[in-house]
mmCIF file of all heavy atoms in Angstrom:
data_model
loop_
_atom_site.group_PDB
_atom_site.id
_atom_site.type_symbol
_atom_site.label_atom_id
_atom_site.label_comp_id
_atom_site.label_asym_id
_atom_site.label_seq_id
_atom_site.Cartn_x
_atom_site.Cartn_y
_atom_site.Cartn_z
ATOM 1 N N LEU A 88 -62.579 20.063 -45.446
ATOM 2 C CA LEU A 88 -62.431 19.138 -46.569
ATOM 3 C C LEU A 88 -63.363 17.925 -46.428
ATOM 4 O O LEU A 88 -63.885 17.437 -47.425
ATOM 5 C CB LEU A 88 -61.000 18.705 -46.689
ATOM 6 C CG LEU A 88 -60.014 19.788 -47.111
ATOM 7 C CD1 LEU A 88 -58.596 19.279 -47.100
ATOM 8 C CD2 LEU A 88 -60.352 20.351 -48.487
ATOM 9 N N THR A 89 -63.557 17.457 -45.208
ATOM 10 C CA THR A 89 -64.433 16.294 -45.018
ATOM 11 C C THR A 89 -65.850 16.615 -45.420
ATOM 12 O O THR A 89 -66.524 15.790 -46.059
ATOM 13 C CB THR A 89 -64.388 15.836 -43.546
ATOM 14 O OG1 THR A 89 -63.035 15.472 -43.208
ATOM 15 C CG2 THR A 89 -65.269 14.620 -43.313
ATOM 16 N N LEU A 90 -66.303 17.787 -45.071
ATOM 17 C CA LEU A 90 -67.645 18.194 -45.497
ATOM 18 C C LEU A 90 -67.772 18.247 -47.007
ATOM 19 O O LEU A 90 -68.738 17.776 -47.584
ATOM 20 C CB LEU A 90 -68.025 19.526 -44.853
ATOM 21 C CG LEU A 90 -68.328 19.508 -43.392
ATOM 22 C CD1 LEU A 90 -68.497 20.930 -42.869
ATOM 23 C CD2 LEU A 90 -69.588 18.679 -43.098
ATOM 24 N N GLY A 91 -66.761 18.839 -47.637
ATOM 25 C CA GLY A 91 -66.797 18.898 -49.097
ATOM 26 C C GLY A 91 -66.712 17.544 -49.773
ATOM 27 O O GLY A 91 -67.433 17.257 -50.727
ATOM 28 N N VAL A 92 -65.854 16.699 -49.258
ATOM 29 C CA VAL A 92 -65.694 15.353 -49.849
ATOM 30 C C VAL A 92 -66.950 14.513 -49.614
ATOM 31 O O VAL A 92 -67.359 13.751 -50.483
ATOM 32 C CB VAL A 92 -64.416 14.658 -49.286
ATOM 33 C CG1 VAL A 92 -64.389 13.210 -49.646
ATOM 34 C CG2 VAL A 92 -63.183 15.390 -49.785
ATOM 35 N N ALA A 93 -67.523 14.633 -48.441
ATOM 36 C CA ALA A 93 -68.736 13.836 -48.132
ATOM 37 C C ALA A 93 -69.848 14.138 -49.143
ATOM 38 O O ALA A 93 -70.584 13.218 -49.517
ATOM 39 C CB ALA A 93 -69.212 14.148 -46.719
ATOM 40 N N VAL A 94 -69.932 15.364 -49.558
ATOM 41 C CA VAL A 94 -70.988 15.717 -50.537
ATOM 42 C C VAL A 94 -70.673 15.100 -51.878
ATOM 43 O O VAL A 94 -71.597 14.638 -52.579
ATOM 44 C CB VAL A 94 -71.079 17.254 -50.634
ATOM 45 C CG1 VAL A 94 -72.003 17.672 -51.759
ATOM 46 C CG2 VAL A 94 -71.531 17.839 -49.303
ATOM 47 N N CYS A 95 -69.420 15.055 -52.280
ATOM 48 C CA CYS A 95 -69.060 14.607 -53.635
ATOM 49 C C CYS A 95 -68.618 13.141 -53.735
ATOM 50 O O CYS A 95 -68.562 12.622 -54.860
ATOM 51 C CB CYS A 95 -67.939 15.502 -54.154
ATOM 52 S SG CYS A 95 -68.358 17.227 -54.268
ATOM 53 N N PHE A 96 -68.290 12.503 -52.655
ATOM 54 C CA PHE A 96 -67.648 11.186 -52.705
ATOM 55 C C PHE A 96 -68.480 10.130 -53.407
ATOM 56 O O PHE A 96 -67.956 9.329 -54.171
ATOM 57 C CB PHE A 96 -67.278 10.710 -51.305
ATOM 58 C CG PHE A 96 -66.426 9.475 -51.337
ATOM 59 C CD1 PHE A 96 -65.133 9.516 -51.790
ATOM 60 C CD2 PHE A 96 -66.936 8.239 -50.932
ATOM 61 C CE1 PHE A 96 -64.357 8.390 -51.818
ATOM 62 C CE2 PHE A 96 -66.169 7.092 -50.959
ATOM 63 C CZ PHE A 96 -64.862 7.193 -51.421
ATOM 64 N N ALA A 97 -69.759 10.094 -53.164
ATOM 65 C CA ALA A 97 -70.592 9.076 -53.778
ATOM 66 C C ALA A 97 -70.521 9.131 -55.310
ATOM 67 O O ALA A 97 -70.591 8.083 -55.977
ATOM 68 C CB ALA A 97 -72.044 9.224 -53.325
ATOM 69 N N LYS A 98 -70.381 10.313 -55.855
ATOM 70 C CA LYS A 98 -70.295 10.463 -57.321
ATOM 71 C C LYS A 98 -68.999 9.911 -57.886
ATOM 72 O O LYS A 98 -68.965 9.499 -59.051
ATOM 73 C CB LYS A 98 -70.422 11.952 -57.698
ATOM 74 C CG LYS A 98 -71.760 12.553 -57.330
ATOM 75 C CD LYS A 98 -71.812 14.027 -57.664
ATOM 76 C CE LYS A 98 -73.084 14.662 -57.171
ATOM 77 N NZ LYS A 98 -73.124 16.090 -57.382
ATOM 78 N N PHE A 99 -67.924 9.952 -57.107
ATOM 79 C CA PHE A 99 -66.596 9.555 -57.617
ATOM 80 C C PHE A 99 -66.115 8.199 -57.117
ATOM 81 O O PHE A 99 -64.981 7.845 -57.340
ATOM 82 C CB PHE A 99 -65.550 10.634 -57.238
ATOM 83 C CG PHE A 99 -65.839 11.954 -57.842
ATOM 84 C CD1 PHE A 99 -66.221 13.021 -57.045
ATOM 85 C CD2 PHE A 99 -65.694 12.183 -59.195
ATOM 86 C CE1 PHE A 99 -66.461 14.273 -57.604
ATOM 87 C CE2 PHE A 99 -65.935 13.397 -59.782
ATOM 88 C CZ PHE A 99 -66.342 14.459 -58.964
ATOM 89 N N ARG A 100 -66.966 7.466 -56.444
ATOM 90 C CA ARG A 100 -66.545 6.219 -55.795
ATOM 91 C C ARG A 100 -65.830 5.252 -56.738
ATOM 92 O O ARG A 100 -64.797 4.715 -56.411
ATOM 93 C CB ARG A 100 -67.756 5.537 -55.175
ATOM 94 C CG ARG A 100 -67.381 4.297 -54.416
ATOM 95 C CD ARG A 100 -68.492 3.888 -53.563
ATOM 96 N NE ARG A 100 -68.288 4.547 -52.297
ATOM 97 C CZ ARG A 100 -68.767 4.150 -51.152
ATOM 98 N NH1 ARG A 100 -69.557 3.101 -51.128
ATOM 99 N NH2 ARG A 100 -68.500 4.767 -50.044
ATOM 100 N N GLY A 101 -66.346 4.992 -57.914
ATOM 101 C CA GLY A 101 -65.723 4.048 -58.852
ATOM 102 C C GLY A 101 -64.903 4.716 -59.915
ATOM 103 O O GLY A 101 -64.530 4.066 -60.902
ATOM 104 N N ASN A 102 -64.553 5.952 -59.758
ATOM 105 C CA ASN A 102 -63.854 6.725 -60.792
ATOM 106 C C ASN A 102 -62.386 6.320 -60.898
ATOM 107 O O ASN A 102 -61.663 6.215 -59.895
ATOM 108 C CB ASN A 102 -63.969 8.204 -60.413
ATOM 109 C CG ASN A 102 -63.502 9.112 -61.542
ATOM 110 O OD1 ASN A 102 -62.481 8.855 -62.159
ATOM 111 N ND2 ASN A 102 -64.249 10.174 -61.745
ATOM 112 N N MET A 105 -59.833 8.998 -59.601
ATOM 113 C CA MET A 105 -59.627 8.976 -58.148
ATOM 114 C C MET A 105 -58.646 7.901 -57.739
ATOM 115 O O MET A 105 -57.749 8.121 -56.923
ATOM 116 C CB MET A 105 -60.961 8.755 -57.422
ATOM 117 C CG MET A 105 -60.868 8.718 -55.921
ATOM 118 S SD MET A 105 -60.540 10.313 -55.205
ATOM 119 C CE MET A 105 -62.159 10.985 -55.219
#
Side-chain angles (χ1 to χ4, degrees):
L88 293 174
T89 301
L90 287 172
V92 169
V94 172
C95 300
F96 189 69
K98 296 177 185 175
F99 297 111
R100 184 165 269 203
N102 191 317
M105 180 71 81

